[in-house]
Amino acid sequence: GKRSQSLEKLVRNRQSDCAAHKRNRMRAVNEKSKNEWLQSRTVNIHCWNFDMLKSFHFSTSEILRKLIDRENTLPSCFVLLPYKLSSKNKKAKLAPTTKKDVERAERMGVLLLSLAKACSFGVLVEEAIEKAGPQRKWDASTVIEKVTFPSDKYEDLKDEFTQIAADRIEAFRQDPLTAVHSLIERRYFDLRSFFKDSKTFLYLVDEHSGVPLVGPAYEPYPLEISESAVSKILAKVLPFMHCCAMVVRGISGSVSGVVRLIFEAAYPHVPPSWATAAAGLQHALDEDLIMRELVMLHRTLTGLNSTAKSRRSLGDDLDFLRDACAKVDVSGDFAKMQRVHCGGSSFWTTSKGVELIQEECGKYDFKQALEIQATLETKLKSQEQVIKQLQDKVDWLSFRKDLNLNFPGDSSVST
């Protein structure tokens, strides 16, 4: 009767409460376990070496932490390569093991840098459109005129951008960024095709050295990716690879940072094909620029320029990659990497990297750091003054030349 129904309802409610309590309890246990794991992997340091502090502030981990708005709890610097690296060579540096793979490494660099240049172009266009404000209809020439390019090495991309706009006039008029997304998509498709018919490996990257982790000490990394999973992994990992590549380029001030990232043994040599692909690229540790390029690449790969309803976030993709690692790295060891924390920022490195950082930071105390910084600033001011004097002299000589002035015995004409 009614009493038995009431008892059944009471039992169901009780069972539901118990299940909810169990879930909450397990969540709390897991959270505690994660926190304990992170604490065991974290090394706190105090550092007054300004160069080292800069490397923390502009690390891939730190940029992603700010962009995703979550704590840096696991390594997030990856690189996916269609060949295996080994340090078993005369230099004891990472290199592909076959001639074919060496050729693959060179091609990989070209494709990565071509993608980087397309992202750079895209952000320049995006910034110009934002500054221009609302406009009813756009055309390619108007957009290009509004962009301030850092060099004259973007002509090929300008032409391609204009051609895409001409092929898709109505879509472009409504939103010129559709042409930017197409430029980036083409580079992604080139990369995806390049990964076909070759073994593919996912590497963790030491953020201190900018080099992938390879060797018995870091097993099971690199992880071999099955052929059926390559396309999916590439689409998820590419924004993180691009971020990592921008950081190593910024730290080195050149393309040579990418050399260490995908073919360490060739460093510091930059293949001519890479120099051509990267012509006009800026290599600077600019946090805002890195974030903008990262977001633009991610939007392109997730179809944010379409009307799709389900769109992944960068955080979702990072979770996916970590879950993919956990299928092989079942203990969640992540190559025994350690999180070095300094001044509110952190990144992931090896135990050897921790030793090198501690050694470098131990050379400076606060007073020494200030003295070094003051000396550097004095030197820079002196150089700026010399440059200004030389510029004034050049301007004066140019002025005299334009007016065809040449006074006998005037020492200012001599160089």
Side-chain angles (χ1 to χ4, degrees):
K2 288 184 178 180
R3 185 170 179 176
S4 63
Q5 287 177 354
S6 297
L7 284 171
E8 285 176 8
K9 186 177 180 181
L10 185 65
V11 169
R12 284 198 301 270
N13 288 341
R14 188 69 176 166
Q15 286 174 337
S16 178
D17 289 343
C18 286
H21 177 73
K22 259 186 193 176
R23 286 195 299 271
N24 289 334
R25 179 67 181 159
M26 286 299 296
R27 196 178 294 117
V29 169
N30 288 336
E31 195 64 32
K32 184 181 178 184
S33 177
K34 286 178 182 177
N35 289 337
E36 288 175 350
W37 181 87
L38 183 61
Q39 191 175 358
S40 71
R41 289 296 183 91
T42 300
V43 178
N44 292 298
I45 65 168
H46 299 285
C47 185
W48 295 109
N49 181 329
F50 291 113
D51 289 334
M52 186 63 69
L53 289 172
K54 185 171 68 173
S55 69
F56 277 102
H57 182 78
F58 291 103
S59 67
T60 299
S61 287
E62 196 59 23
I63 288 169
L64 289 170
R65 180 186 70 79
K66 294 171 185 174
L67 202 54
I68 298 173
D69 192 25
R70 76 164 68 160
E71 192 180 358
N72 173 23
T73 57
L74 287 171
S76 53
C77 195
F78 305 94
V79 63
L80 189 73
L81 299 175
Y83 50 86
K84 195 164 188 178
L85 294 167
S86 171
S87 59
K88 294 178 181 178
N89 51 58
K90 291 179 181 178
K91 290 185 176 181
K93 301 289 185 183
L94 295 180
T97 55
T98 67
K99 183 181 178 183
K100 186 176 181 180
D101 281 348
V102 168
E103 293 169 355
R104 282 184 169 278
E106 182 175 355
R107 179 63 181 156
M108 183 70 189
V110 170
L111 292 173
L112 278 180
L113 291 166
S114 297
L115 174 70
K117 197 165 177 182
C119 290
S120 170
F121 179 92
V123 167
L124 289 168
V125 169
E126 183 181 50
E127 288 175 338
I129 291 171
E130 287 174 358
K131 286 178 183 175
Q135 190 162 324
R136 284 187 180 180
K137 299 290 184 182
W138 288 96
D139 63 80
S141 59
T142 303
V143 173
I144 294 297
E145 283 171 10
K146 291 184 180 296
V147 181
T148 303
F149 291 98
S151 75
D152 60 354
K153 304 296 183 182
Y154 283 79
E155 295 303 317
D156 55 338
L157 284 169
K158 289 182 190 178
D159 293 342
E160 190 177 349
F161 178 79
T162 303
Q163 186 58 54
I164 292 171
D167 293 341
R168 306 171 188 176
I169 294 174
E170 287 308 314
F172 183 87
R173 283 178 176 173
Q174 296 300 320
D175 182 8
L177 290 182
T178 56
V180 167
H181 290 301
S182 293
L183 280 177
I184 296 171
E185 282 171 0
R186 289 179 178 184
R187 274 74 187 166
Y188 164 69
F189 292 139
D190 287 343
L191 269 165
R192 193 176 68 178
S193 299
F194 180 61
F195 275 85
K196 288 181 179 178
D197 305 320
S198 64
K199 287 188 175 182
T200 300
F201 299 89
L202 180 66
Y203 297 81
L204 287 172
V205 177
D206 177 350
E207 292 186 77
H208 175 58
S209 64
V211 174
L213 299 184
V214 176
Y218 310 118
E219 289 179 353
Y221 297 91
L223 306 180
E224 185 170 353
I225 306 301
S226 65
E227 190 176 340
S228 60
V230 170
S231 292
K232 191 171 186 179
I233 294 284
L234 179 63
K236 310 273 190 183
V237 81
L238 197 54
F240 302 99
M241 284 174 60
H242 181 63
C243 182
C244 189
M246 285 193 78
V247 169
V248 296
R249 277 171 39 212
I251 290 171
S252 64
S254 70
V255 179
S256 62
V258 179
V259 177
R260 287 172 62 84
L261 187 64
I262 69 174
F263 190 170
E264 184 194 14
Y267 180 83
H269 172 71
V270 176
S273 58
W274 290 23
T276 301
L281 264 181
Q282 303 295 294
H283 311 291
L285 285 174
D286 184 329
E287 184 178 87
D288 180 63
L289 178 61
I290 294 173
M291 285 185 176
R292 288 191 74 126
E293 287 196 22
L294 182 56
V295 169
M296 175 164 282
L297 176 56
H298 184 259
R299 282 180 179 168
T300 301
L301 296 176
T302 54
L304 272 184
N305 54 319
S306 70
T307 56
K309 290 183 179 179
S310 58
R311 292 164 177 167
R312 311 185 312 265
S313 70
L314 270 169
D316 292 336
D317 286 353
L318 192 53
D319 290 338
F320 173 87
L321 291 170
R322 287 166 177 172
D323 290 344
C325 289
K327 290 177 182 177
V328 181
D329 182 10
V330 289
S331 61
D333 209 32
F334 288 95
K336 297 183 177 64
M337 294 184 83
Q338 293 183 284
R339 186 181 77 151
V340 185
H341 189 271
C342 178
S345 301
S346 59
F347 64 55
W348 292 83
T349 184
T350 62
S351 55
K352 180 65 177 174
V354 173
E355 291 176 12
L356 293 171
I357 292 167
Q358 289 173 329
E359 182 183 335
E360 195 62 31
C361 291
K363 295 177 181 177
Y364 301 88
D365 59 23
F366 182 60
K367 185 180 177 182
Q368 288 172 315
L370 287 179
E371 288 173 353
I372 291 169
Q373 188 70 9
T375 303
L376 180 61
E377 287 178 2
T378 301
K379 185 178 179 181
L380 289 173
K381 285 178 182 176
S382 176
Q383 288 175 343
E384 286 172 3
Q385 191 173 0
V386 170
I387 290 169
K388 187 178 184 306
Q389 289 172 351
L390 290 172
Q391 186 62 52
D392 289 344
K393 189 170 184 179
V394 169
D395 291 344
W396 172 239
L397 289 172
S398 298
F399 171 74
R400 291 174 63 102
K401 183 180 178 183
D402 291 341
L403 296 179
N404 198 23
L405 300 175
N406 187 8
F407 301 111
D410 191 341
S411 61
S412 66
V413 298
S414 63
T415 58

